[in-house]
Amino acid sequence: MHKQAFPLRKQKKAVKNDLLAEDFVYTGYRREKVQITLLRYNEQACSRQSLTPDDDFTAAFRPGKVNWLHVSGLSDTALVARIGKMLHMHPTDVQDILTAQHIAKIELYSDKTILVVDTFYDAGQKELQQEHICVILGKEYVVSFQESGLPLFDNVMNALSKNTALVRRQSADYLFFLLINNVLGNYLDVVAAFEDELEKMEDEVLTGEPGKDFGNRIQESRRNCLLLKKSVLPLKEDCSKMLHNGNNLIREDNRVYLNDLEDRIGFIMQSIEMCRESVSSLLDLYFSDNALRMNGIMKQLTIVSTLFIPLTFVVGVWGMNFRVMPELKWTYGYLMAWIVMLVIAVVVWWLIRRQRWNR
């Protein structure tokens, strides 16, 4: 898994796919070179091959083996359309692959299962990245798409090459669960990093040292929670479809992974809700802290005003320009004025301390 960072990357406005358009359109912003990798394996061996968009993918598949075709980069819409035609996919499903930030969903057909979801992870920068993922399960094959060439599924490829935990004994549906598990693992990493960030922000408020941009960070955290929930919630609702699926692509002994999948999605949703509550509590705490700070400032200003109002009165009275004022010719009048003002100031301060206004 990848180390997480915040805040979320700002996405560009997507271009909509139109059912009346003759050509498919990629609506994302990643224009990276397309890379195609084909892994063919069984219990005895595993081969890895790099393909080009002009290769015949149907001929590259081997019967009796699990064939995993992984496509990195969605800018070549003609390639995606050709793979969709090879798998007998409906045009709307091909559009879903090319539509970045599409709502998470699981589509079930008699010969295939299609998962569309977004994932979040750190791409080696300071910002969290969002990426569109699609995984298709068929008989003896799995086809996966991702927007970039980042190593999202490299650990699965390495496990197949090394036959870690005898993974090559399993069928294609187990590979399907491994890929989904990778995506959900990224969500868990994101939520864990998010919780750590919220704890740091809470400590900043409690220690009285929030940064100048603290309010913006809270609002950004709130938006992140909503985005994560929006990405996971539909998947939670659709996951139960596979439990009652009749296309027989998932072996009976592998259905236990469906229960585990539902549990992990439920845990992610619970963690996101807890983060949302933490953000709300943090926002209230931040406003309360600001109110306390403002009250403290107003109290200090009130104390200063209370001290200087009587002194201003004394100075104002003796500052009047009347010709007949006995104090004007008094030798010790200036000294007496200072003594009177100091006595008044001491008495006022004593009264303030007695009433504990300075606390």
Side-chain angles (χ1 to χ4, degrees), residues 73-120:
L74 301 178
S75 58
D76 190 345
T77 57
L79 170 65
V80 178
R82 188 159 67 89
I83 295 176
K85 185 177 181 180
M86 178 187 74
L87 301 178
H88 307 288
M89 295 177 61
H90 194 275
T92 57
D93 292 325
V94 177
Q95 287 182 349
D96 292 343
I97 298 174
L98 295 171
T99 303
Q101 303 178 43
H102 192 282
I103 185 173
K105 71 171 188 175
I106 297 175
E107 290 287 352
L108 302 175
Y109 296 96
S110 59
D111 60 340
K112 67 180 69 69
T113 298
I114 303 175
L115 167 71
V116 176
V117 67
D118 284 344
T119 189
F120 302 90

Short mmCIF file of all heavy atoms in Angstrom, two decimals, residues 73-120:
data_model
loop_
_atom_site.label_atom_id
_atom_site.label_comp_id
_atom_site.label_asym_id
_atom_site.label_seq_id
_atom_site.Cartn_x
_atom_site.Cartn_y
_atom_site.Cartn_z
N GLY A 73 -3.83 3.35 -18.24
CA GLY A 73 -4.05 4.48 -19.14
C GLY A 73 -5.30 4.28 -19.95
O GLY A 73 -5.48 3.24 -20.60
N LEU A 74 -6.18 5.28 -19.93
CA LEU A 74 -7.46 5.18 -20.62
C LEU A 74 -7.60 6.18 -21.76
O LEU A 74 -8.71 6.36 -22.29
CB LEU A 74 -8.62 5.38 -19.63
CG LEU A 74 -8.69 4.39 -18.46
CD1 LEU A 74 -9.86 4.75 -17.55
CD2 LEU A 74 -8.82 2.97 -18.96
N SER A 75 -6.53 6.83 -22.12
CA SER A 75 -6.61 7.85 -23.17
C SER A 75 -6.87 7.27 -24.55
O SER A 75 -7.40 7.94 -25.43
CB SER A 75 -5.33 8.70 -23.19
OG SER A 75 -4.20 7.86 -23.41
N ASP A 76 -6.49 5.99 -24.75
CA ASP A 76 -6.73 5.33 -26.04
C ASP A 76 -8.13 4.71 -26.01
O ASP A 76 -8.33 3.55 -25.65
CB ASP A 76 -5.67 4.26 -26.29
CG ASP A 76 -5.71 3.71 -27.71
OD1 ASP A 76 -6.72 3.94 -28.41
OD2 ASP A 76 -4.75 3.04 -28.12
N THR A 77 -9.13 5.50 -26.37
CA THR A 77 -10.51 5.04 -26.29
C THR A 77 -10.80 3.92 -27.29
O THR A 77 -11.64 3.06 -27.02
CB THR A 77 -11.47 6.21 -26.54
OG1 THR A 77 -11.17 6.80 -27.82
CG2 THR A 77 -11.31 7.27 -25.46
N ALA A 78 -10.11 3.94 -28.42
CA ALA A 78 -10.32 2.87 -29.41
C ALA A 78 -9.88 1.52 -28.85
O ALA A 78 -10.52 0.49 -29.09
CB ALA A 78 -9.55 3.20 -30.69
N LEU A 79 -8.80 1.50 -28.07
CA LEU A 79 -8.33 0.26 -27.45
C LEU A 79 -9.35 -0.25 -26.45
O LEU A 79 -9.68 -1.45 -26.43
CB LEU A 79 -6.99 0.51 -26.77
CG LEU A 79 -6.47 -0.62 -25.87
CD1 LEU A 79 -6.18 -1.87 -26.70
CD2 LEU A 79 -5.24 -0.17 -25.09
N VAL A 80 -9.86 0.64 -25.60
CA VAL A 80 -10.85 0.23 -24.61
C VAL A 80 -12.10 -0.31 -25.30
O VAL A 80 -12.69 -1.32 -24.88
CB VAL A 80 -11.20 1.40 -23.67
CG1 VAL A 80 -12.27 1.00 -22.67
CG2 VAL A 80 -9.95 1.89 -22.93
N ALA A 81 -12.52 0.38 -26.36
CA ALA A 81 -13.69 -0.08 -27.10
C ALA A 81 -13.45 -1.45 -27.72
O ALA A 81 -14.36 -2.30 -27.74
CB ALA A 81 -14.05 0.94 -28.17
N ARG A 82 -12.25 -1.69 -28.22
CA ARG A 82 -11.95 -2.99 -28.84
C ARG A 82 -11.95 -4.10 -27.80
O ARG A 82 -12.43 -5.21 -28.07
CB ARG A 82 -10.58 -2.91 -29.55
CG ARG A 82 -10.26 -4.14 -30.39
CD ARG A 82 -9.21 -3.81 -31.44
NE ARG A 82 -7.93 -3.52 -30.85
CZ ARG A 82 -7.00 -4.44 -30.59
NH1 ARG A 82 -7.23 -5.71 -30.87
NH2 ARG A 82 -5.84 -4.09 -30.08
N ILE A 83 -11.39 -3.82 -26.61
CA ILE A 83 -11.42 -4.83 -25.55
C ILE A 83 -12.85 -5.08 -25.11
O ILE A 83 -13.25 -6.23 -24.86
CB ILE A 83 -10.55 -4.37 -24.36
CG1 ILE A 83 -9.08 -4.30 -24.78
CG2 ILE A 83 -10.72 -5.32 -23.18
CD1 ILE A 83 -8.16 -3.77 -23.71
N GLY A 84 -13.65 -4.01 -25.02
CA GLY A 84 -15.05 -4.18 -24.66
C GLY A 84 -15.81 -5.03 -25.67
O GLY A 84 -16.63 -5.87 -25.31
N LYS A 85 -15.50 -4.85 -26.95
CA LYS A 85 -16.14 -5.66 -27.99
C LYS A 85 -15.69 -7.11 -27.89
O LYS A 85 -16.50 -8.04 -28.08
CB LYS A 85 -15.79 -5.09 -29.37
CG LYS A 85 -16.49 -5.79 -30.53
CD LYS A 85 -16.17 -5.12 -31.85
CE LYS A 85 -16.88 -5.80 -33.01
NZ LYS A 85 -16.57 -5.16 -34.31
N MET A 86 -14.42 -7.32 -27.57
CA MET A 86 -13.90 -8.68 -27.41
C MET A 86 -14.61 -9.40 -26.26
O MET A 86 -14.87 -10.61 -26.34
CB MET A 86 -12.39 -8.63 -27.14
CG MET A 86 -11.74 -9.98 -26.91
SD MET A 86 -10.01 -9.84 -26.39
CE MET A 86 -10.22 -9.30 -24.69
N LEU A 87 -14.94 -8.66 -25.21
CA LEU A 87 -15.61 -9.26 -24.04
C LEU A 87 -17.13 -9.22 -24.15
O LEU A 87 -17.81 -9.58 -23.18
CB LEU A 87 -15.17 -8.53 -22.76
CG LEU A 87 -13.66 -8.52 -22.46
CD1 LEU A 87 -13.38 -7.72 -21.20
CD2 LEU A 87 -13.12 -9.93 -22.34
N HIS A 88 -17.64 -8.75 -25.30
CA HIS A 88 -19.08 -8.66 -25.54
C HIS A 88 -19.75 -7.77 -24.49
O HIS A 88 -20.80 -8.09 -23.93
CB HIS A 88 -19.72 -10.06 -25.53
CG HIS A 88 -19.07 -11.04 -26.46
ND1 HIS A 88 -19.19 -10.95 -27.83
CD2 HIS A 88 -18.27 -12.11 -26.22
CE1 HIS A 88 -18.51 -11.94 -28.41
NE2 HIS A 88 -17.93 -12.65 -27.45
N MET A 89 -19.13 -6.63 -24.25
CA MET A 89 -19.66 -5.68 -23.27
C MET A 89 -20.63 -4.72 -23.94
O MET A 89 -20.50 -4.37 -25.11
CB MET A 89 -18.51 -4.89 -22.62
CG MET A 89 -17.57 -5.73 -21.78
SD MET A 89 -16.20 -4.77 -21.11
CE MET A 89 -17.07 -3.57 -20.11
N HIS A 90 -21.62 -4.29 -23.18
CA HIS A 90 -22.57 -3.30 -23.67
C HIS A 90 -21.86 -1.95 -23.79
O HIS A 90 -20.97 -1.62 -22.99
CB HIS A 90 -23.75 -3.19 -22.69
CG HIS A 90 -24.91 -2.45 -23.26
ND1 HIS A 90 -25.02 -1.08 -23.23
CD2 HIS A 90 -26.02 -2.91 -23.90
CE1 HIS A 90 -26.15 -0.71 -23.80
NE2 HIS A 90 -26.79 -1.80 -24.22
N PRO A 91 -22.22 -1.12 -24.78
CA PRO A 91 -21.57 0.19 -24.93
C PRO A 91 -21.62 1.07 -23.68
O PRO A 91 -20.69 1.83 -23.41
CB PRO A 91 -22.33 0.83 -26.10
CG PRO A 91 -22.83 -0.33 -26.89
CD PRO A 91 -23.13 -1.40 -25.89
N THR A 92 -22.71 0.97 -22.91
CA THR A 92 -22.79 1.79 -21.69
C THR A 92 -21.73 1.36 -20.67
O THR A 92 -21.21 2.20 -19.91
CB THR A 92 -24.18 1.68 -21.06
OG1 THR A 92 -24.49 0.30 -20.81
CG2 THR A 92 -25.23 2.27 -22.00
N ASP A 93 -21.40 0.07 -20.63
CA ASP A 93 -20.35 -0.40 -19.72
C ASP A 93 -18.98 0.09 -20.18
O ASP A 93 -18.12 0.41 -19.35
CB ASP A 93 -20.37 -1.92 -19.64
CG ASP A 93 -21.61 -2.45 -18.94
OD1 ASP A 93 -22.08 -1.79 -18.00
OD2 ASP A 93 -22.11 -3.52 -19.34
N VAL A 94 -18.77 0.15 -21.49
CA VAL A 94 -17.52 0.70 -22.00
C VAL A 94 -17.42 2.18 -21.64
O VAL A 94 -16.35 2.68 -21.26
CB VAL A 94 -17.43 0.52 -23.53
CG1 VAL A 94 -16.16 1.16 -24.08
CG2 VAL A 94 -17.48 -0.96 -23.89
N GLN A 95 -18.53 2.89 -21.72
CA GLN A 95 -18.54 4.30 -21.31
C GLN A 95 -18.21 4.45 -19.83
O GLN A 95 -17.53 5.40 -19.43
CB GLN A 95 -19.91 4.92 -21.61
CG GLN A 95 -20.16 5.17 -23.10
CD GLN A 95 -21.50 5.84 -23.34
OE1 GLN A 95 -22.32 5.94 -22.44
NE2 GLN A 95 -21.72 6.28 -24.57
N ASP A 96 -18.71 3.52 -19.01
CA ASP A 96 -18.41 3.58 -17.58
C ASP A 96 -16.92 3.45 -17.31
O ASP A 96 -16.39 4.07 -16.39
CB ASP A 96 -19.16 2.47 -16.84
CG ASP A 96 -20.67 2.70 -16.85
OD1 ASP A 96 -21.10 3.83 -17.12
OD2 ASP A 96 -21.41 1.73 -16.58
N ILE A 97 -16.24 2.63 -18.11
CA ILE A 97 -14.79 2.49 -17.95
C ILE A 97 -14.10 3.80 -18.25
O ILE A 97 -13.13 4.19 -17.57
CB ILE A 97 -14.26 1.38 -18.87
CG1 ILE A 97 -14.87 0.03 -18.50
CG2 ILE A 97 -12.73 1.30 -18.80
CD1 ILE A 97 -14.49 -1.08 -19.45
N LEU A 98 -14.58 4.53 -19.24
CA LEU A 98 -13.93 5.76 -19.68
C LEU A 98 -14.41 7.00 -18.93
O LEU A 98 -13.84 8.07 -19.09
CB LEU A 98 -14.19 5.97 -21.19
CG LEU A 98 -13.57 4.91 -22.11
CD1 LEU A 98 -14.08 5.09 -23.53
CD2 LEU A 98 -12.05 5.00 -22.07
N THR A 99 -15.44 6.85 -18.12
CA THR A 99 -15.99 8.00 -17.39
C THR A 99 -15.32 8.11 -16.04
O THR A 99 -15.61 7.35 -15.11
CB THR A 99 -17.52 7.86 -17.22
OG1 THR A 99 -18.12 7.72 -18.50
CG2 THR A 99 -18.08 9.10 -16.53
N ALA A 100 -14.40 9.05 -15.91
CA ALA A 100 -13.69 9.25 -14.65
C ALA A 100 -14.66 9.72 -13.57
O ALA A 100 -15.64 10.42 -13.85
CB ALA A 100 -12.58 10.28 -14.83
N GLN A 101 -14.41 9.31 -12.33
CA GLN A 101 -15.23 9.67 -11.18
C GLN A 101 -16.67 9.16 -11.33
O GLN A 101 -17.61 9.78 -10.85
CB GLN A 101 -15.23 11.18 -10.95
CG GLN A 101 -13.84 11.77 -10.76
CD GLN A 101 -13.88 13.26 -10.59
OE1 GLN A 101 -14.72 13.79 -9.88
NE2 GLN A 101 -12.97 13.96 -11.24
N HIS A 102 -16.80 8.04 -12.02
CA HIS A 102 -18.13 7.42 -12.14
C HIS A 102 -18.54 6.84 -10.79
O HIS A 102 -17.70 6.42 -10.00
CB HIS A 102 -18.08 6.32 -13.20
CG HIS A 102 -19.42 5.80 -13.61
ND1 HIS A 102 -20.14 4.90 -12.84
CD2 HIS A 102 -20.19 6.06 -14.69
CE1 HIS A 102 -21.28 4.63 -13.44
NE2 HIS A 102 -21.34 5.32 -14.56
N ILE A 103 -19.82 6.80 -10.53
CA ILE A 103 -20.31 6.24 -9.29
C ILE A 103 -19.91 4.77 -9.20
O ILE A 103 -19.94 4.04 -10.19
CB ILE A 103 -21.84 6.40 -9.19
CG1 ILE A 103 -22.33 5.92 -7.83
CG2 ILE A 103 -22.54 5.68 -10.33
CD1 ILE A 103 -23.80 6.19 -7.60
N ALA A 104 -19.51 4.33 -8.01
CA ALA A 104 -19.11 2.94 -7.82
C ALA A 104 -20.31 2.02 -8.04
O ALA A 104 -21.41 2.31 -7.58
CB ALA A 104 -18.53 2.74 -6.43
N LYS A 105 -20.07 0.91 -8.73
CA LYS A 105 -21.17 -0.01 -8.99
C LYS A 105 -20.63 -1.39 -9.35
O LYS A 105 -19.46 -1.55 -9.72
CB LYS A 105 -22.07 0.50 -10.12
CG LYS A 105 -21.43 0.44 -11.49
CD LYS A 105 -22.45 0.76 -12.57
CE LYS A 105 -21.87 0.51 -13.97
NZ LYS A 105 -22.87 0.71 -15.03
N ILE A 106 -21.50 -2.38 -9.24
CA ILE A 106 -21.20 -3.75 -9.66
C ILE A 106 -22.31 -4.19 -10.61
O ILE A 106 -23.50 -4.18 -10.23
CB ILE A 106 -21.11 -4.71 -8.47
CG1 ILE A 106 -19.96 -4.30 -7.55
CG2 ILE A 106 -20.92 -6.14 -8.94
CD1 ILE A 106 -19.88 -5.12 -6.27
N GLU A 107 -21.94 -4.56 -11.83
CA GLU A 107 -22.90 -5.03 -12.83
C GLU A 107 -22.70 -6.53 -13.02
O GLU A 107 -21.57 -7.01 -13.19
CB GLU A 107 -22.70 -4.31 -14.16
CG GLU A 107 -23.10 -2.85 -14.15
CD GLU A 107 -24.60 -2.64 -14.10
OE1 GLU A 107 -25.34 -3.64 -14.22
OE2 GLU A 107 -25.04 -1.49 -13.91
N LEU A 108 -23.80 -7.27 -13.00
CA LEU A 108 -23.75 -8.73 -13.14
C LEU A 108 -24.41 -9.15 -14.44
O LEU A 108 -25.54 -8.74 -14.74
CB LEU A 108 -24.47 -9.39 -11.96
CG LEU A 108 -23.94 -9.04 -10.56
CD1 LEU A 108 -24.81 -9.66 -9.50
CD2 LEU A 108 -22.49 -9.48 -10.41
N TYR A 109 -23.68 -9.97 -15.20
CA TYR A 109 -24.20 -10.54 -16.43
C TYR A 109 -24.02 -12.06 -16.36
O TYR A 109 -23.34 -12.58 -15.47
CB TYR A 109 -23.49 -9.97 -17.65
CG TYR A 109 -23.70 -8.48 -17.84
CD1 TYR A 109 -22.78 -7.56 -17.36
CD2 TYR A 109 -24.82 -8.01 -18.49
CE1 TYR A 109 -22.97 -6.20 -17.53
CE2 TYR A 109 -25.04 -6.65 -18.67
CZ TYR A 109 -24.10 -5.74 -18.18
OH TYR A 109 -24.31 -4.40 -18.35
N SER A 110 -24.58 -12.74 -17.32
CA SER A 110 -24.51 -14.20 -17.30
C SER A 110 -23.09 -14.71 -17.51
O SER A 110 -22.74 -15.80 -17.05
CB SER A 110 -25.42 -14.79 -18.38
OG SER A 110 -25.03 -14.32 -19.68
N ASP A 111 -22.24 -13.91 -18.19
CA ASP A 111 -20.89 -14.37 -18.50
C ASP A 111 -19.80 -13.49 -17.90
O ASP A 111 -18.62 -13.74 -18.12
CB ASP A 111 -20.69 -14.44 -20.01
CG ASP A 111 -20.89 -13.08 -20.67
OD1 ASP A 111 -21.54 -12.21 -20.06
OD2 ASP A 111 -20.41 -12.88 -21.81
N LYS A 112 -20.17 -12.46 -17.16
CA LYS A 112 -19.15 -11.56 -16.61
C LYS A 112 -19.71 -10.77 -15.43
O LYS A 112 -20.94 -10.62 -15.28
CB LYS A 112 -18.62 -10.61 -17.68
CG LYS A 112 -19.65 -9.61 -18.18
CD LYS A 112 -19.07 -8.69 -19.24
CE LYS A 112 -18.80 -9.44 -20.52
NZ LYS A 112 -20.08 -9.85 -21.20
N THR A 113 -18.79 -10.28 -14.59
CA THR A 113 -19.10 -9.37 -13.49
C THR A 113 -18.20 -8.14 -13.62
O THR A 113 -16.99 -8.28 -13.78
CB THR A 113 -18.86 -10.03 -12.12
OG1 THR A 113 -19.74 -11.15 -11.98
CG2 THR A 113 -19.12 -9.06 -10.99
N ILE A 114 -18.79 -6.96 -13.58
CA ILE A 114 -18.05 -5.71 -13.81
C ILE A 114 -18.09 -4.87 -12.54
O ILE A 114 -19.16 -4.58 -12.00
CB ILE A 114 -18.64 -4.92 -14.99
CG1 ILE A 114 -18.65 -5.77 -16.26
CG2 ILE A 114 -17.86 -3.63 -15.21
CD1 ILE A 114 -19.34 -5.11 -17.43
N LEU A 115 -16.92 -4.48 -12.09
CA LEU A 115 -16.79 -3.59 -10.93
C LEU A 115 -16.22 -2.26 -11.40
O LEU A 115 -15.19 -2.22 -12.07
CB LEU A 115 -15.86 -4.20 -9.88
CG LEU A 115 -15.40 -3.25 -8.76
CD1 LEU A 115 -16.54 -2.91 -7.82
CD2 LEU A 115 -14.24 -3.85 -7.99
N VAL A 116 -16.89 -1.17 -11.06
CA VAL A 116 -16.41 0.19 -11.35
C VAL A 116 -16.29 0.92 -10.02
O VAL A 116 -17.25 0.97 -9.25
CB VAL A 116 -17.37 0.94 -12.29
CG1 VAL A 116 -16.90 2.38 -12.50
CG2 VAL A 116 -17.47 0.23 -13.64
N VAL A 117 -15.13 1.48 -9.75
CA VAL A 117 -14.90 2.14 -8.46
C VAL A 117 -13.75 3.13 -8.61
O VAL A 117 -12.92 3.00 -9.52
CB VAL A 117 -14.57 1.08 -7.38
CG1 VAL A 117 -13.24 0.42 -7.64
CG2 VAL A 117 -14.60 1.69 -5.98
N ASP A 118 -13.72 4.12 -7.73
CA ASP A 118 -12.58 5.03 -7.64
C ASP A 118 -11.73 4.63 -6.44
O ASP A 118 -12.25 4.13 -5.44
CB ASP A 118 -13.04 6.48 -7.47
CG ASP A 118 -13.55 7.08 -8.77
OD1 ASP A 118 -13.28 6.49 -9.83
OD2 ASP A 118 -14.23 8.11 -8.72
N THR A 119 -10.45 4.85 -6.55
CA THR A 119 -9.55 4.59 -5.42
C THR A 119 -8.76 5.84 -5.11
O THR A 119 -8.65 6.75 -5.95
CB THR A 119 -8.61 3.41 -5.74
OG1 THR A 119 -7.90 3.05 -4.55
CG2 THR A 119 -7.59 3.77 -6.81
N PHE A 120 -8.22 5.90 -3.91
CA PHE A 120 -7.46 7.07 -3.45
C PHE A 120 -6.14 6.59 -2.88
O PHE A 120 -6.10 5.63 -2.11
CB PHE A 120 -8.25 7.83 -2.38
CG PHE A 120 -9.60 8.30 -2.83
CD1 PHE A 120 -10.71 7.49 -2.67
CD2 PHE A 120 -9.76 9.53 -3.43
CE1 PHE A 120 -11.96 7.90 -3.08
CE2 PHE A 120 -11.00 9.96 -3.85
CZ PHE A 120 -12.11 9.14 -3.68
#
